Each structure stands twice: as structure tokens, then as C-alpha cells.
Amino acid sequence: MPSSVAFAMEGPAGRKPQHLSPARIGIYAFLVIAALFFLLPLYVMIVTSLKSMPEIRQGNIFAFPQVWTGEAWVQAWSTACTGLECGGISVGFWNSVKILIPSMILSIFISSLTGYALSFWRVRGANVLFAVLLLGAFIPYQVFIYPLVLIYRGVGIYSTLPCIIITHTVFGLPVLTLLFRNYYSSLPMELFKAARVDGAGLWQIFFRLMIPMSIPILVVAAILQVTGIWNDFLFGVVFAGRENFPMTVQLNNIVNSTQGEKLYNVNMAATILTALVPLIVYFGSGRWFVRGITAGAVKG
């Protein structure tokens, strides 16, 4: 009997791998310490928001509340003062919703269409246009603020809701176009050619073939836009106008208020409420995010 056949019949030789080796224990210890380090601020914020102010003044920020209360959350949502108005952070929440939904829909639609055109409709100068779009993703936002203020003021839409929606839509295009272009480049060209042979045009192929196959990358684009637009402060304070201040600007007005007593429990509750939407989106669609970003990054 040959030696290779005999080895296969006997099975693998040598010591059985250890499940808890010193290296593995070190990795687990590091991961646990890192998790505790990053979760500690969240723990402090939650327990502080559930304490009363007399208890907070005692100074032990890591202790559990002696008396659990949700008054700070109610006050942060409905009655906290943001400057001269005391309507809570709920006003900013609905302003953020009004800004987020049209900005996200417009930016995803335009970038998916642009990525589709750059992938399958190879016109002259397409690579140059793609390079220009990529360049826009690496230029700091602060460079554009003053020229944009002049342009919006000249057009007559400065400090309005369309102004902030257009700004978020335009600044989301470079990265989203890159994602969609890479994702569509990974799809078989034969699908596109078969649709062309059947007589389908640009819009028919886009809506009836490409969009149904784009669910993973659409989820990735939606996550990126939700987190980017919802967490934005700079564009909101410059372009939105006082009536349309998003939630982040309202939070800044609550936390940095110089009038009256500094209510740390209300500040913590308002901060958690402001971050709640991106957290829910991330936790609810994390699996789709990894799958979509991997498909667009590796295959492109």
C-alpha cells in the first residue's frame, strides 16, 4: 500500500489544536478591554441621564442611580431650551427628518444612475468624469462653504430647506457614485447585452434590471447617507437657516447654553436621543452593510 494512501486512512497526525492557547487568551483579553473602553462613555451617559441633579452633584459618575427617573429624557425631548426657545430637541428631530429623506433619495438616485452609466455606457470622457467625481470626495468641505454661500445667496435660496437638501445631495455624490460604479462593474456584461438585444434602452435596463439587483449596495448607500446627514453639524448650521436647524445644532444649543443651571442629566439624554437614529440603522442593517460594501469594493 502506498504511503500516501496509508496516511489518508490513518487521518491527520500530530497534537490536537488547543482552543485556549496563550495567544488566543491574549486576543480575547485585548478585545474585552477595548470593548469596555469604548462602552464606558455610553454607560456614563445612560446612568447620568437616569439620575436626578442632586444625586449627580454627589460626584460618583460610575454609580447606578439611587432613584431611577426618566424626567431628564422627557425634558430633553419636549421642554429643554435651545437658545430663546424651549421646545426641546424634538423640533430638531423633525427638521432632521425633513432634511434627511429628500437628500437621501436624491443622492442615491443620481449616484446610482451615474454609476450605472459609467459602468455600462462607455462614452468618450467617462473615465475623466469619474476621476473628477473621485477628486470631489477628497477635498475638505470647508473649502466650498464660502463659494456656496455666495452662489445660494445669488440664486435666492440661502438659509432655506432646499439649500441644505441640495448641499447634502451634491456632497454625497462622489462616494456613492464610486460605490455604485464598482458594484455595477462586478455584474456580468452579458446581462446588459442580452437586455440590449431584446430592445431595452437605458431607463428600462436601469429600472427593470439594475435596480432589482442592487439591494445590497442600496442598503450601504442608505446607511452612509443616513449617518452622514443625520450627524452633520457644519452644513446644518451654515445652510439650513434658523427655522430648519437639524438635531445636532439643537443639541449644541442645549449643551452650550449659558443661562441657568447646567443640567447634565438633560444634556446626556439629549445626546443619546440625537445619536439614536444612526445607532438603530447600524444595528438593524449591519449584516447588509458588510455584504454590500464587500461586493462593491472587492469585485470592482
Side-chain angles (χ1 to χ4, degrees):
M1 180 181 296
S3 59
S4 58
V5 176
F7 177 78
M9 294 179 62
E10 293 176 356
R15 297 175 55 189
K16 184 179 180 181
Q18 295 181 356
H19 293 291
L20 285 178
S21 62
R24 188 179 293 270
I25 293 174
I27 293 174
Y28 286 156
F30 172 77
L31 292 176
V32 170
I33 294 172
L36 291 176
F37 177 79
F38 286 106
L39 289 176
L40 186 60
L42 180 62
Y43 166 77
V44 172
M45 292 174 65
I46 293 175
V47 297
T48 303
S49 68
L50 297 172
K51 295 177 181 176
S52 61
M53 280 306 298
E55 189 176 346
I56 292 175
R57 293 192 190 96
Q58 296 177 5
N60 191 357
I61 63 173
F62 297 107
F64 281 108
Q66 297 173 1
V67 179
W68 298 77
T69 175
E71 293 181 3
W73 290 76
V74 177
Q75 187 174 349
W77 178 256
S78 57
T79 62
C81 294
T82 57
L84 299 177
E85 301 178 356
C86 296
I89 207 165
S90 59
V91 179
F93 173 82
W94 294 115
N95 287 339
S96 292
V97 172
K98 288 190 296 184
I99 295 171
L100 171 66
I101 292 178
S103 303
M104 182 178 64
I105 293 174
L106 284 174
S107 58
I108 290 177
F109 174 73
I110 297 173
S111 58
S112 61
L113 184 60
T114 307
Y116 159 65
L118 290 173
S119 300
F120 291 98
W121 297 78
R122 304 288 175 80
V123 297
R124 179 177 298 178
N127 291 331
V128 176
L129 176 61
F130 184 56
V132 172
L133 281 172
L134 283 182
L135 181 64
F138 298 100
I139 299 177
Y141 294 160
Q142 290 80 1
V143 175
F144 297 98
I145 288 180
Y146 184 61
L148 284 179
V149 169
L150 296 179
I151 294 172
Y152 289 143
R153 192 175 62 183
V155 177
I157 61 172
Y158 179 63
S159 291
T160 61
L161 191 60
C163 177
I164 184 67
I165 291 173
I166 292 172
T167 304
H168 280 303
T169 302
V170 171
F171 280 93
L173 289 181
V175 173
L176 296 186
T177 301
L178 171 65
L179 290 178
F180 278 105
R181 190 258 187 189
N182 287 347
Y183 184 80
Y184 289 139
S185 296
S186 69
L187 299 179
M189 180 63 79
E190 286 72 17
L191 290 173
F192 173 77
K193 291 180 179 178
R196 291 288 292 160
V197 170
D198 292 339
L202 184 145
W203 296 105
Q204 287 178 309
I205 298 176
F206 179 68
F207 284 109
R208 302 180 66 177
L209 184 62
M210 294 300 160
I211 290 296
M213 299 175 64
S214 308
I215 300 302
I217 200 66
L218 286 173
V219 174
V220 172
I223 293 172
L224 291 176
Q225 284 300 88
V226 168
T227 53
I229 296 173
W230 195 272
N231 293 329
D232 167 68
F233 175 81
L234 179 63
F235 291 155
V237 76
V238 174
F239 297 111
R242 182 174 296 276
E243 298 80 10
N244 304 307
F245 275 160
M247 208 171 184
T248 50
V249 179
Q250 301 281 9
L251 173 65
N252 174 73
N253 293 339
I254 291 176
V255 174
N256 293 322
S257 176
T258 57
Q259 297 180 350
E261 182 186 13
K262 184 71 81 175
L263 302 175
Y264 294 103
N265 51 356
V266 176
N267 294 347
M268 296 297 180
T271 304
I272 297 173
L273 285 172
T274 304
L276 208 55
V277 170
L279 286 177
I280 292 173
V281 171
Y282 264 121
F283 287 134
S285 56
R287 181 168 58 92
W288 286 93
F289 181 81
V290 174
R291 183 183 302 176
I293 200 72
T294 304
V298 176
K299 296 180 182 179

mmCIF file of all heavy atoms in Angstrom, residues 229-245:
data_model
loop_
_atom_site.group_PDB
_atom_site.id
_atom_site.type_symbol
_atom_site.label_atom_id
_atom_site.label_comp_id
_atom_site.label_asym_id
_atom_site.label_seq_id
_atom_site.Cartn_x
_atom_site.Cartn_y
_atom_site.Cartn_z
ATOM 1 N N ILE A 229 -25.728 62.463 6.997
ATOM 2 C CA ILE A 229 -26.628 63.620 7.038
ATOM 3 C C ILE A 229 -27.148 63.851 8.448
ATOM 4 O O ILE A 229 -27.227 64.988 8.919
ATOM 5 C CB ILE A 229 -27.793 63.418 6.044
ATOM 6 C CG1 ILE A 229 -27.258 63.362 4.609
ATOM 7 C CG2 ILE A 229 -28.832 64.521 6.181
ATOM 8 C CD1 ILE A 229 -28.308 62.989 3.581
ATOM 9 N N TRP A 230 -27.494 62.772 9.149
ATOM 10 C CA TRP A 230 -28.050 62.934 10.499
ATOM 11 C C TRP A 230 -27.012 63.494 11.471
ATOM 12 O O TRP A 230 -27.340 64.296 12.348
ATOM 13 C CB TRP A 230 -28.564 61.602 11.017
ATOM 14 C CG TRP A 230 -29.462 61.745 12.203
ATOM 15 C CD1 TRP A 230 -29.087 61.786 13.518
ATOM 16 C CD2 TRP A 230 -30.879 61.904 12.185
ATOM 17 N NE1 TRP A 230 -30.186 61.954 14.318
ATOM 18 C CE2 TRP A 230 -31.305 62.026 13.527
ATOM 19 C CE3 TRP A 230 -31.829 61.945 11.168
ATOM 20 C CZ2 TRP A 230 -32.633 62.190 13.867
ATOM 21 C CZ3 TRP A 230 -33.154 62.100 11.508
ATOM 22 C CH2 TRP A 230 -33.540 62.218 12.836
ATOM 23 N N ASN A 231 -25.758 63.089 11.322
ATOM 24 C CA ASN A 231 -24.715 63.561 12.236
ATOM 25 C C ASN A 231 -24.090 64.878 11.816
ATOM 26 O O ASN A 231 -23.213 65.388 12.515
ATOM 27 C CB ASN A 231 -23.612 62.507 12.353
ATOM 28 C CG ASN A 231 -24.088 61.249 13.032
ATOM 29 O OD1 ASN A 231 -24.970 61.300 13.893
ATOM 30 N ND2 ASN A 231 -23.526 60.113 12.651
ATOM 31 N N ASP A 232 -24.493 65.419 10.679
ATOM 32 C CA ASP A 232 -23.871 66.653 10.196
ATOM 33 C C ASP A 232 -24.199 67.835 11.107
ATOM 34 O O ASP A 232 -25.330 67.995 11.566
ATOM 35 C CB ASP A 232 -24.372 66.951 8.782
ATOM 36 C CG ASP A 232 -24.003 68.361 8.357
ATOM 37 O OD1 ASP A 232 -22.803 68.634 8.169
ATOM 38 O OD2 ASP A 232 -24.921 69.202 8.249
ATOM 39 N N PHE A 233 -23.187 68.643 11.344
ATOM 40 C CA PHE A 233 -23.389 69.886 12.096
ATOM 41 C C PHE A 233 -23.010 71.109 11.252
ATOM 42 O O PHE A 233 -23.724 72.119 11.253
ATOM 43 C CB PHE A 233 -22.537 69.860 13.369
ATOM 44 C CG PHE A 233 -22.576 71.135 14.156
ATOM 45 C CD1 PHE A 233 -23.629 71.411 15.021
ATOM 46 C CD2 PHE A 233 -21.568 72.091 14.027
ATOM 47 C CE1 PHE A 233 -23.670 72.587 15.743
ATOM 48 C CE2 PHE A 233 -21.606 73.270 14.744
ATOM 49 C CZ PHE A 233 -22.668 73.520 15.605
ATOM 50 N N LEU A 234 -21.906 70.992 10.519
ATOM 51 C CA LEU A 234 -21.373 72.148 9.789
ATOM 52 C C LEU A 234 -22.354 72.668 8.743
ATOM 53 O O LEU A 234 -22.685 73.865 8.730
ATOM 54 C CB LEU A 234 -20.049 71.755 9.128
ATOM 55 C CG LEU A 234 -19.355 72.829 8.310
ATOM 56 C CD1 LEU A 234 -18.954 74.004 9.186
ATOM 57 C CD2 LEU A 234 -18.128 72.249 7.611
ATOM 58 N N PHE A 235 -22.812 71.800 7.859
ATOM 59 C CA PHE A 235 -23.738 72.242 6.816
ATOM 60 C C PHE A 235 -25.059 72.721 7.419
ATOM 61 O O PHE A 235 -25.678 73.665 6.916
ATOM 62 C CB PHE A 235 -24.011 71.110 5.825
ATOM 63 C CG PHE A 235 -22.832 70.763 4.974
ATOM 64 C CD1 PHE A 235 -22.705 69.497 4.427
ATOM 65 C CD2 PHE A 235 -21.846 71.697 4.710
ATOM 66 C CE1 PHE A 235 -21.614 69.176 3.645
ATOM 67 C CE2 PHE A 235 -20.748 71.383 3.928
ATOM 68 C CZ PHE A 235 -20.635 70.115 3.399
ATOM 69 N N GLY A 236 -25.497 72.058 8.476
ATOM 70 C CA GLY A 236 -26.770 72.443 9.094
ATOM 71 C C GLY A 236 -26.741 73.844 9.666
ATOM 72 O O GLY A 236 -27.687 74.620 9.484
ATOM 73 N N VAL A 237 -25.651 74.186 10.361
ATOM 74 C CA VAL A 237 -25.600 75.499 10.986
ATOM 75 C C VAL A 237 -25.341 76.617 9.973
ATOM 76 O O VAL A 237 -25.707 77.772 10.202
ATOM 77 C CB VAL A 237 -24.516 75.497 12.096
ATOM 78 C CG1 VAL A 237 -23.121 75.565 11.495
ATOM 79 C CG2 VAL A 237 -24.731 76.636 13.079
ATOM 80 N N VAL A 238 -24.744 76.275 8.821
ATOM 81 C CA VAL A 238 -24.421 77.300 7.820
ATOM 82 C C VAL A 238 -25.556 77.483 6.818
ATOM 83 O O VAL A 238 -25.927 78.619 6.484
ATOM 84 C CB VAL A 238 -23.111 76.939 7.077
ATOM 85 C CG1 VAL A 238 -22.846 77.928 5.935
ATOM 86 C CG2 VAL A 238 -21.936 76.923 8.036
ATOM 87 N N PHE A 239 -26.126 76.378 6.319
ATOM 88 C CA PHE A 239 -27.026 76.461 5.170
ATOM 89 C C PHE A 239 -28.516 76.258 5.499
ATOM 90 O O PHE A 239 -29.356 76.605 4.679
ATOM 91 C CB PHE A 239 -26.631 75.418 4.111
ATOM 92 C CG PHE A 239 -25.263 75.620 3.541
ATOM 93 C CD1 PHE A 239 -24.239 74.731 3.807
ATOM 94 C CD2 PHE A 239 -24.988 76.717 2.737
ATOM 95 C CE1 PHE A 239 -22.981 74.912 3.276
ATOM 96 C CE2 PHE A 239 -23.722 76.919 2.204
ATOM 97 C CZ PHE A 239 -22.713 76.015 2.483
ATOM 98 N N ALA A 240 -28.850 75.669 6.652
ATOM 99 C CA ALA A 240 -30.250 75.291 6.886
ATOM 100 C C ALA A 240 -31.139 76.474 7.245
ATOM 101 O O ALA A 240 -32.327 76.466 6.938
ATOM 102 C CB ALA A 240 -30.317 74.231 7.985
ATOM 103 N N GLY A 241 -30.599 77.469 7.921
ATOM 104 C CA GLY A 241 -31.444 78.551 8.416
ATOM 105 C C GLY A 241 -31.992 78.229 9.791
ATOM 106 O O GLY A 241 -32.119 77.063 10.173
ATOM 107 N N ARG A 242 -32.353 79.272 10.561
ATOM 108 C CA ARG A 242 -32.768 79.081 11.954
ATOM 109 C C ARG A 242 -34.014 78.202 12.070
ATOM 110 O O ARG A 242 -34.142 77.415 12.995
ATOM 111 C CB ARG A 242 -33.033 80.448 12.591
ATOM 112 C CG ARG A 242 -33.416 80.384 14.064
ATOM 113 C CD ARG A 242 -33.511 81.776 14.650
ATOM 114 N NE ARG A 242 -32.212 82.436 14.631
ATOM 115 C CZ ARG A 242 -31.276 82.271 15.566
ATOM 116 N NH1 ARG A 242 -31.518 81.461 16.580
ATOM 117 N NH2 ARG A 242 -30.136 82.891 15.494
ATOM 118 N N GLU A 243 -34.946 78.308 11.133
ATOM 119 C CA GLU A 243 -36.183 77.523 11.230
ATOM 120 C C GLU A 243 -35.966 76.047 10.931
ATOM 121 O O GLU A 243 -36.801 75.220 11.280
ATOM 122 C CB GLU A 243 -37.244 78.071 10.272
ATOM 123 C CG GLU A 243 -37.677 79.499 10.540
ATOM 124 C CD GLU A 243 -36.673 80.509 9.989
ATOM 125 O OE1 GLU A 243 -35.765 80.074 9.236
ATOM 126 O OE2 GLU A 243 -36.778 81.702 10.333
ATOM 127 N N ASN A 244 -34.853 75.723 10.258
ATOM 128 C CA ASN A 244 -34.614 74.340 9.833
ATOM 129 C C ASN A 244 -33.383 73.727 10.487
ATOM 130 O O ASN A 244 -32.812 72.774 9.947
ATOM 131 C CB ASN A 244 -34.449 74.289 8.311
ATOM 132 C CG ASN A 244 -35.623 74.876 7.577
ATOM 133 O OD1 ASN A 244 -36.764 74.492 7.808
ATOM 134 N ND2 ASN A 244 -35.367 75.844 6.704
ATOM 135 N N PHE A 245 -32.965 74.246 11.633
ATOM 136 C CA PHE A 245 -31.786 73.696 12.289
ATOM 137 C C PHE A 245 -31.985 72.213 12.569
ATOM 138 O O PHE A 245 -32.998 71.814 13.163
ATOM 139 C CB PHE A 245 -31.513 74.411 13.604
ATOM 140 C CG PHE A 245 -30.708 75.676 13.453
ATOM 141 C CD1 PHE A 245 -30.725 76.638 14.444
ATOM 142 C CD2 PHE A 245 -29.928 75.888 12.340
ATOM 143 C CE1 PHE A 245 -29.988 77.805 14.312
ATOM 144 C CE2 PHE A 245 -29.189 77.056 12.182
ATOM 145 C CZ PHE A 245 -29.224 78.008 13.174
#
